[in-house]
Amino acid sequence: MFGRKRKLKREFDAQLYNLLIEMKEEWERAREIERYSHDYNEEVSARRKIAESKYFHLFKEAKERKLRIERE
């Protein structure tokens, strides 16, 4: 019974980690687009804010779950 819970936790932690990396890349791309855009565009700014918000939400979730990241 406990082995199954650990296995599920590892699986969901791996999914959370992959999603966290994906959202960080999306946020960084949105920041770059906003940085290199010459005129102010509300849509670009909104996309950056949404991506930032998603990333930090996932970051908080990872922190609550005490997600350990193995460095390569």
Side-chain angles (χ1 to χ4, degrees):
M1 185 166 133
F2 292 110
R4 183 168 187 255
K5 285 185 180 182
R6 278 187 246 137
K7 182 180 177 185
L8 282 174
K9 183 179 183 326
R10 280 195 307 262
E11 287 177 16
F12 283 106
D13 284 351
Q15 288 177 357
L16 178 61
Y17 175 74
N18 291 333
L19 193 56
L20 188 65
I21 296 300
E22 184 180 317
M23 283 295 114
K24 183 177 181 185
E25 290 171 357
E26 183 179 324
W27 176 40
E28 289 172 349
R29 278 192 305 269
R31 283 190 350 205
E32 290 296 316
I33 290 170
E34 187 177 36
R35 183 178 302 145
Y36 290 117
S37 120
H38 294 289
D39 56 336
Y40 180 76
N41 188 342
E42 284 185 29
E43 183 179 343
V44 171
S45 180
R47 286 182 187 257
R48 181 199 46 88
K49 289 178 183 178
I50 289 170
E52 181 180 9
S53 155
K54 286 179 181 179
Y55 171 70
F56 281 109
H57 175 74
L58 291 172
F59 187 79
K60 282 190 235 179
E61 180 68 24
K63 191 174 180 179
E64 283 181 23
R65 292 176 63 96
K66 298 177 183 170
L67 182 67
R68 294 185 53 119
I69 299 172
E70 302 292 327
R71 298 200 182 237
E72 296 174 359

